[in-house]
């Protein structure tokens, strides 16, 4: 039985009922559950249902329970699918651009297609893998979007995108050996994707670590974080060529580049600001530093320092109490003096691992602190402090 045949069993009435019954099953008890279910269901169906139930549980983090427990997934698909919050944001941008029809090339299990359809956009979802295309089709039906999403199993190179307002391409960025870092080794290659989108409105999903020099001059490049974690980068065509943008979800705060020079280093002030990862990836630290009237602690380190506390969505603020040359004995003595038992270790420009620091300093006590292992003016240093509480909240360090 092929994977596609096994998946088809889940779409039957018996398969659907069995899958629904496994919503809350404990994977640790899978053997016992499988033995029990095989007394009343075909072995192939039980195996397919248990595998799908595990995938749905994994997918909750990306899609939320309401959608995840109605959708279908493949192991590769759940790993590579766009997080719902990011897909919804991108679909909103396309809708705001006036897009009403999109050719979604390399659609995967259909996460982006679903978001675009819910934004009122008609979608042609294309994938060359028969199982993946079948999963996308099943997801469109399961979420009552079958009339808005046409699914086609085909090579994306054979698709005529002319009838559509926009093109969206999500090339595969994983191979048999793991992640692919060379954009020309994507499937299809980035150059092909640019050719497919360049003359139209559209977007290409890429890895956030792409070198800036590989970004097409006609593209707007946007880095997106969700909850502080950088999720992806997108090349937009038909918007603002050459623009660099960092967008932070769930707030939707969006910072655009103005071509500012790198901020000058300065002495460590009272506050340290840690820019969001999307800001750093987009090379927009200078824009945030200007907003904060701050400078860098080192010309190669993306930490901003300032004497004044200013609110910004683009960086987390810490009040710095101590600046020391690097040395774990000194750090241990200071933390013991301050009775710090809860220690957050952050590093940038340091080879020392956070777990090694915790093991060596053995923090004990009722207070909390954050230590930054970094460089200040070219020298290894430790900055100790605590996050600045948001308005109305308690300060997170020692008193």
């Amino acid at each position: 039985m092929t994977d596609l045949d096994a998946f088809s069993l889940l779409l039957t009435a018996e398969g659907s009922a069995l899958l629904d019954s496994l919503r809350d099953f404990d994977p640790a008890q899978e053997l016992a559950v499988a033995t029990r279910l095989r007394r009343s269901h075909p072995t192939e169906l039980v195996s397919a249902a248990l595998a799908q139930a595990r995938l749905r549980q994994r997918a909750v983090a990306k899609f939320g329970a309401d959608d995840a427990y109605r959708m279908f997934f493949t192991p590769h698909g759940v790993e590579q699918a766009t997080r719902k919050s990011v897909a919804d944001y991108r679909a909103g941008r396309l809708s705001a651009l006036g897009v009403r029809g999109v050719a979604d090339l390399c659609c995967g299990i259909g996460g982006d297609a679903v978001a675009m359809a819910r934004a009122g956009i008609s979608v042609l979802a294309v994938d060359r893998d028969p199982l993946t295309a079948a999963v996308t089709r099943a997801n469109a039906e399961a979420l009552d979007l079958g009339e808005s999403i046409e699914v086609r199993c085909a090579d994306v190179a054979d698709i005529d995108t002319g009838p559509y307002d926009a093109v969206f391409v999500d090339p595969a960025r994983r191979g048999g050996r793991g992640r692919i870092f060379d954009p020309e080794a994507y499937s299809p290659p980035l150059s092909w994707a640019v050719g497919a989108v360049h003359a139209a409105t559209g977007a290409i999903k890429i890895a956030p670590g792409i070198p800036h020099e590989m970004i097409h001059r006609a593209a707007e490049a946007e880095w997106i974080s969700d909850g502080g974690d950088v999720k992806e980068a997108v090349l937009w065509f038909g918007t603002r060529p050459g623009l660099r943008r960092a967008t932070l979800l769930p707030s939707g705060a969006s910072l655009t580049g103005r071509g500012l020079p790198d901020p000058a280093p300065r002495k460590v002030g009272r506050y340290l600001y840690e820019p969001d990862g999307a800001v750093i990836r987009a090379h927009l630290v200078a824009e945030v530093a200007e907003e904060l009237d701050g400078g860098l602690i080192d010309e190669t380190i993306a930490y901003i320092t300032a004497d004044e506390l200013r609110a910004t969505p683009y960086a987390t603020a810490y009040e710095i109490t101590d600046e020391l040359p690097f040395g774990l004995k000194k750090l241990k003595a200071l933390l013991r003096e301050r009775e710090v038992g809860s220690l957050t270790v952050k590093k940038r420009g340091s080879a020392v691992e956070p777990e090694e620091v915790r093991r060596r300093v053995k923090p004990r006590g009722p207070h909390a602190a954050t230590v930054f292992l970094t460089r200040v003016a070219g020298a290894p240093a430790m900055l100790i402090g605590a996050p600045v509480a948001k308005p109305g909240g308690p300060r997170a360090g020692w008193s």
Side-chain angles (χ1 to χ4, degrees):
M1 175 176 287
T2 68
D3 289 343
L4 184 56
D5 291 335
F7 174 71
S8 298
L9 295 176
L10 299 176
L11 304 181
T12 65
E14 182 183 9
S16 178
L18 179 57
L19 194 50
D20 286 344
S21 73
L22 291 170
R23 173 174 174 142
D24 298 318
F25 102 103
D26 181 359
Q29 303 299 318
E30 183 168 332
L31 180 59
V33 173
T35 301
R36 173 175 57 82
L37 292 177
R38 283 170 182 154
R39 297 181 188 132
S40 53
H41 299 282
T43 298
E44 295 84 356
L45 174 58
V46 171
S47 296
L50 286 169
Q52 192 61 222
R54 291 195 304 271
L55 292 174
R56 283 183 167 183
Q57 290 179 354
R58 285 175 56 193
V60 169
K62 280 191 173 183
F63 291 89
D66 288 347
D67 280 354
Y69 285 113
R70 296 163 66 192
M71 294 174 68
F72 298 90
F73 303 94
T74 65
H76 178 77
V78 75
E79 183 176 343
Q80 292 297 297
T82 302
R83 182 177 291 266
K84 182 179 184 297
S85 56
V86 178
D88 289 346
Y89 164 75
R90 182 164 43 238
R93 277 205 71 179
L94 286 168
S95 179
L97 290 170
V99 172
R100 294 296 173 261
V102 170
D104 180 0
L105 308 183
C106 311
C107 65
I109 54 89
D112 280 286
V114 165
M116 290 186 281
R118 285 174 168 169
I121 299 171
S122 296
V123 184
L124 170 65
V126 182
D127 201 284
R128 68 181 179 183
D129 177 63
L131 175 59
T132 301
V135 168
T136 302
R137 189 174 292 110
N139 286 336
E141 295 297 333
L143 298 177
D144 301 319
L145 296 169
E147 293 185 1
S148 299
I149 301 174
E150 175 191 351
V151 181
R152 195 177 300 175
C153 183
D155 191 314
V156 294
D158 297 332
I159 299 299
D160 177 13
T161 60
Y164 301 90
D165 299 333
V167 178
F168 173 63
V169 187
D170 183 2
R173 295 176 301 283
R174 278 188 177 272
R177 297 183 178 180
R179 294 191 181 193
I180 297 171
F181 296 97
D182 177 6
E184 285 308 297
Y186 291 174
S187 180
L190 178 59
S191 57
W192 182 92
V194 169
V197 181
H198 184 201
T201 297
I204 304 169
K205 179 178 171 181
I206 57 174
I210 185 172
H212 280 226
E213 58 269 20
M214 296 193 72
I215 296 172
H216 196 282
R217 64 181 180 278
E220 170 196 330
E222 179 178 31
W223 284 261
I224 302 171
S225 67
D226 188 7
D229 295 328
V230 182
K231 295 302 179 183
E232 64 181 60
V234 187
L235 301 184
W236 290 92
F237 292 86
T239 54
R240 298 174 63 182
L243 185 74
R244 300 293 179 264
R245 182 190 301 270
T247 297
L248 284 54
L249 301 178
S251 70
S254 194
L255 179 68
T256 56
R258 290 180 283 119
L260 298 181
D262 292 339
R266 66 169 66 173
K267 292 178 62 175
V268 176
R270 182 176 179 181
Y271 297 100
L272 185 77
Y273 293 87
E274 181 181 27
D276 185 273
V279 170
I280 296 172
R281 293 282 194 176
H283 295 182
L284 299 181
V285 173
E287 279 74 6
V288 177
E290 183 181 71
E291 176 184 311
L292 298 171
D293 190 24
L296 300 181
I297 62 171
D298 183 278
E299 62 182 7
T300 64
I301 302 295
Y303 284 138
I304 299 168
T305 186
D307 295 318
E308 180 182 343
L309 180 62
R310 295 187 182 183
T312 176
Y314 303 114
T316 301
Y318 296 81
E319 185 172 4
I320 299 302
T321 57
D322 299 89
E323 176 185 353
L324 300 172
F326 177 79
L328 294 185
K329 287 185 178 180
K330 297 176 185 177
L331 178 62
K332 182 176 182 178
L334 178 63
L335 297 179
R336 182 180 298 163
E337 176 187 333
R338 303 284 173 81
E339 297 183 303
V340 171
S342 177
L343 181 66
T344 299
V345 182
K346 291 178 172 285
K347 54 173 271 184
R348 186 164 293 159
S350 172
V352 182
E353 293 300 325
E355 286 307 315
E356 172 69 8
V357 174
R358 294 190 188 92
R359 186 183 68 81
R360 296 274 297 276
V361 303
K362 299 180 175 64
R364 291 188 184 88
H367 298 136
T370 299
V371 58
F372 295 87
L373 307 178
T374 187
R375 289 196 306 273
V376 173
M382 303 180 299
L383 304 177
I384 297 94
V388 175
K390 294 181 178 181
R395 187 174 179 274
W398 57 76
S399 58

